[in-house]
Amino acid sequence: HHVDSFSEVVYFVLNPIFCHRRRYILTEIMRQMGSSCLLLQVSPSALAPDVILPDFFQVPGRRLVTAEPAPFALFVLTRKLAARYKPTVNARIVVVGASETGLAALESLLQMPDLNF
């Protein structure tokens, strides 16, 4: 992607009547703005926009040496990702224990771009 093709979503309000067409609306916004990638930053103290968050894909965080938490979570949506279907997985997954390995397994499952848990 070119540097000029990125756009950031700051506010998003959508009438509930059009919620089933939100992916089409987001791709149309990208087309009219001339961008190919939408970015969404969600800070821990802010409320996440529940309307469009399921359509975005979370970018895995960087592995930093410091123990400070990340200042925000970054979500991305491109034209190619907007056209992709994400099937919902209703399987029950049981993780025994709260070790680093169990948390890492849950994190990798939740960040799979092709599935929706």
Side-chain angles (χ1 to χ4, degrees):
H1 300 281
H2 296 295
V3 177
D4 298 335
S5 64
F6 288 94
S7 298
E8 183 180 358
V9 177
V10 180
Y11 299 106
F12 193 83
V13 178
L14 185 65
N15 191 336
I17 296 172
F18 302 113
C19 280
H20 67 285
R21 293 285 189 186
R22 63 184 180 261
R23 277 197 181 192
Y24 174 73
I25 292 170
L26 289 170
T27 55
E28 189 64 23
I29 289 170
M30 284 192 281
R31 186 190 68 81
Q32 289 184 6
M33 292 181 63
S35 64
S36 62
C37 185
L38 286 177
L39 300 174
L40 176 66
Q41 292 183 6
V42 179
S43 63
S45 61
L47 293 174
D50 295 338
V51 176
I52 59 171
L53 196 59
D55 295 326
F56 280 76
F57 294 86
Q58 186 175 9
V59 177
R62 289 193 224 167
R63 303 289 180 215
L64 300 176
V65 178
T66 62
E68 297 177 14
F72 58 85
L74 183 64
F75 293 88
V76 66
L77 181 69
T78 61
R79 290 181 183 147
K80 184 177 180 181
L81 292 175
R84 187 184 298 179
Y85 173 69
K86 286 174 51 172
T88 302
V89 177
N90 290 329
R92 294 182 182 169
I93 299 171
V94 177
V95 177
V96 179
S99 65
E100 292 292 323
T101 307
L103 293 175
L106 285 175
E107 183 180 350
S108 65
L109 282 174
L110 291 176
Q111 290 183 351
M112 285 185 165
D114 297 336
L115 300 175
N116 191 17
F117 286 96

